[in-house]
């Protein structure tokens, strides 16, 4: 895999797939610019070399053109964060795009409109990819978080740049860190999974099972497992159609000698609000009308014990509704335990949009060995799968 340093970018148009799928508030203000910051060294290198950067990304999951998902909303923030003036381009492909391109001789940095406004993006359409390729002389992938997808801009487009494609700095750093975990993988290896849903992480979970000794499950997704085991979860979040999958994962784990740790107790709330009434209850005895929004004190102690004995730790997904201060304590405690284990010599890799947000909100980012922007991509990479985004750069 080539990197940016293998190219002289002077006078070149560099088409960069970035991941600017950033969270926005209801006034379209960026609430966390981490993903933009991540791309800064790559953009700086292009501009400092005398090249031009054409940035392309998706934002959310629009169905066709939906103005609330326009990247125009974030153009000013991107310009501020990168410290460069920037032109926004609303016509990504077609005749108008071509005309616009010829008029953009001076702009050093361009930001293209949301790629997912075109259905060819998610479909990995070759014709769409070819039209995107017209924007650049060199292709750079700086969106590790989407490397597990074979979309037009993340993989297919690369075939139009034989010998002229590279990984961005952050992309390359993440792949190296993950390879290090895979190689070193000092035991015991513990994976900690949280977040809202099992469904978004099933494949990842099944794939990493052979590589781990302990699997800790917290957050909303734990309730699907607890219900699958016959527990009473009250009004907690649960994916009723994933109970069989949850049982299958538990059986696979047992068959492969992986110890699974589910919450023992939870902080139950009488409504989904920071000011809700709360009580600590057994995770399989949550009364009707109450929902588990964080892990409880016994669970924190149990999880902490496992984490402190681990030599390699992977963390994907918060252990509770960390956005609400009263339900952030479990995630905070687990984060602190991982930080402590890291200080004592363990290697810790944190990944996934919400995990990164949680780690930063809690100020723990500098106490982890590596913070990855990838969630699904991270899990797939750890499972030693060939990621389309990486394969496309290597071919
Ligand atoms: P994910 O994107 O799947 O990693 O999910 C992250 C989201 O899961 C965060 O917004 C958390 O608030 C949410 N979450 C974590 N624990 C719970 C829970 N016990 N109940 C409901 N949502 C949760």
């Amino acid at each position: 895999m080539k990197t940016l340093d293998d190219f002289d970018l002077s006078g070149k148009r560099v088409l960069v797939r970035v991941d600017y799928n950033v969270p926005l508030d209801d006034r379209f203000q960026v609430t966390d610019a981490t993903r933009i910051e991540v791309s800064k060294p790559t953009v700086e290198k292009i501009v400092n070399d005398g090249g031009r950067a054409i940035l392309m990304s998706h934002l959310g999951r629009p169905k066709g053109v939906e103005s609330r998902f326009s990247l125009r909303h974030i153009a000013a923030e991107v310009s501020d964060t990168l410290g460069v003036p920037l032109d926004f381009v609303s016509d990504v492909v077609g005749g108008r795009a071509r005309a616009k391109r010829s008029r953009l001789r001076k702009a050093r940095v361009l930001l293209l409109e949301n790629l997912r406004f075109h259905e060819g993006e998610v479909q990995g359409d070759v014709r769409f990819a070819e039209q995107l390729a017209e924007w650049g002389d060199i292709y750079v992938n700086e969106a590790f978080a989407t490397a597990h997808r074979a979309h037009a801009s993340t993989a297919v487009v690369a075939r139009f740049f034989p010998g002229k494609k590279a990984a961005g700095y952050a992309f390359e750093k993440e792949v190296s860190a993950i390879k290090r975990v895979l190689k070193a993988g000092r035991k015991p290896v513990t994976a900690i999974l949280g977040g809202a849903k099992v469904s978004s992480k099933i494949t990842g979970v099944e794939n990493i099972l052979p590589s781990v000794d302990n699997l800790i499950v917290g957050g909303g997704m734990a309730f699907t497992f607890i219900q699958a085991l016959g527990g009473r979860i009250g009004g907690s979040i649960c994916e009723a159609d994933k109970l069989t999958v949850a049982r299958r994962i538990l059986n696979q784990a047992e068959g492969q000698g992986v110890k699974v740790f589910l919450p023992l107790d939870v902080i139950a709330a009488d409504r989904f609000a920071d000011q809700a009434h709360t009580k600590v209850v057994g995770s399989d005895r949550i009364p009707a009308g109450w929902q588990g929004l964080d892990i409880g004190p016994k669970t924190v102690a149990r999880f902490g014990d496992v984490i402190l004995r681990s030599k390699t730790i992977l963390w994907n997904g918060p252990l509770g509704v960390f956005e609400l201060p009263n339900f952030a304590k479990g995630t905070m405690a687990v984060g602190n335990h991982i930080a402590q284990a890291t200080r004592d010599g363990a290697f810790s890799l944190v990944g996934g949009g919400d995990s990164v947000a949680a780690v930063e909100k809690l100020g723990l980012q500098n106490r982890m060995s590596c913070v990855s922007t990838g969630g699904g991509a991270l899990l797939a990479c750890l499972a030693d799968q060939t990621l389309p985004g990486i394969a496309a750069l290597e071919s």
Side-chain angles (χ1 to χ4, degrees):
M1 196 162 71
K2 287 193 171 138
T3 73
L4 275 180
D5 293 330
D6 294 317
F7 293 93
D8 172 12
L9 304 173
S10 155
K12 295 283 189 294
R13 296 172 309 148
V14 187
L15 180 61
V16 191
R17 177 44 156 111
V18 287
D19 175 19
Y20 291 170
N21 184 26
V22 289
L24 300 177
D25 63 16
D26 48 12
R27 289 167 48 239
F28 299 112
Q29 298 299 306
V30 176
T31 54
D32 179 359
T34 310
R35 291 177 170 194
I36 303 172
E37 281 156 21
V38 157
S39 68
K40 192 170 175 178
T42 285
V43 177
E44 275 176 350
K45 153 84 177 161
I46 297 167
V47 173
N48 292 345
D49 269 16
R52 291 163 63 203
I54 296 101
L55 310 176
M56 56 176 179
S57 178
H58 74 286
L59 176 65
R61 294 171 183 261
K63 301 203 167 33
V65 178
E66 283 188 73
S67 62
R68 65 194 170 113
F69 290 113
S70 173
L71 280 168
R72 191 185 289 279
H73 299 305
I74 69 163
E77 177 81 33
V78 173
S79 175
D80 279 359
T81 307
L82 298 179
V84 288
L86 168 153
D87 267 6
F88 178 75
V89 181
S90 51
D91 299 303
V92 174
V93 292
R96 283 224 297 254
R98 227 165 277 140
K100 180 121 196 193
R101 204 151 45 228
S102 59
R103 274 186 269 120
L104 290 171
R105 294 263 172 257
K106 289 214 187 75
R108 281 269 159 257
V109 181
L110 305 181
L111 176 65
L112 305 188
E113 180 55 289
N114 194 341
L115 295 165
R116 290 198 188 165
F117 282 180
H118 301 263
E119 52 184 23
E121 166 62 359
V122 173
Q123 291 166 352
D125 181 66
V126 179
R127 177 74 193 116
F128 180 61
E130 190 176 14
Q131 289 177 306
L132 290 178
E134 288 174 21
W135 281 100
D137 307 308
I138 294 174
Y139 168 72
V140 169
N141 195 342
E142 187 56 309
F144 176 73
T146 58
H148 58 313
R149 306 201 187 282
H151 291 175
S153 68
T154 59
V156 184
V157 71
R159 73 174 70 161
F160 298 101
F161 295 91
K164 290 186 177 161
K165 47 192 171 185
Y169 289 130
F171 190 111
E172 197 228 337
K173 201 170 134 203
E174 295 206 28
V175 173
S176 313
I178 293 167
K179 281 192 180 146
R180 214 168 66 218
V181 175
L182 282 174
K183 269 210 192 115
R186 283 192 299 137
K187 287 176 158 294
V189 179
T190 299
I192 305 158
L193 297 178
K197 291 183 173 172
V198 186
S199 52
S200 56
K201 295 179 186 167
I202 297 167
T203 327
V205 180
E206 291 188 314
N207 286 336
I208 59 167
L209 277 183
S211 322
V212 306
D213 302 296
N214 305 310
L215 176 66
I216 290 178
V217 183
M221 70 150 82
F223 297 109
T224 303
F225 286 92
I226 293 167
Q227 181 154 58
L229 291 170
R232 279 190 287 124
I233 61 165
S236 306
I237 184 173
C238 175
E239 290 167 282
D241 58 337
K242 293 290 173 292
L243 297 176
T244 317
V245 172
R247 275 184 219 110
R248 188 175 75 214
I249 292 174
L250 292 172
N251 286 337
Q252 275 174 8
E254 198 183 338
Q256 296 176 19
V258 178
K259 288 201 195 89
V260 179
F261 298 88
L262 291 168
L264 303 168
D265 57 351
V266 298
I267 312 289
D270 61 354
R271 64 196 166 104
F272 192 97
D274 202 34
Q275 303 315 324
H277 293 112
T278 61
K279 56 184 176 184
V280 176
V281 295
S283 60
D284 57 354
R285 281 186 298 272
I286 304 173
W290 292 74
Q291 51 188 308
L293 295 186
D294 196 7
I295 50 174
K298 273 192 207 145
T299 309
V300 167
R302 183 82 184 100
F303 287 2
D305 187 45
V306 178
I307 291 166
L308 290 176
R309 283 186 286 108
S310 304
K311 291 281 177 271
T312 304
I313 303 163
L314 314 166
W315 181 19
N316 180 291
L319 283 300
V321 183
F322 74 100
E323 298 92 335
L324 304 178
N326 284 329
F327 304 102
K329 294 188 188 80
T331 303
M332 181 73 166
V334 164
N336 276 319
H337 280 124
I338 300 174
Q340 194 182 331
T342 310
R343 206 188 50 214
D344 295 344
F347 185 88
S348 55
L349 177 57
V350 186
D354 266 312
S355 324
V356 177
V359 160
E360 295 205 338
K361 188 159 182 216
L362 307 173
L364 292 170
Q365 65 275 26
N366 297 325
R367 297 169 66 200
M368 307 286 144
S369 311
C370 179
V371 179
S372 166
T373 56
L378 171 67
L379 292 177
C381 207
L382 285 168
D384 223 0
Q385 290 179 329
T386 309
L387 269 56
I390 296 178
L393 291 180
E394 284 170 342
S395 61

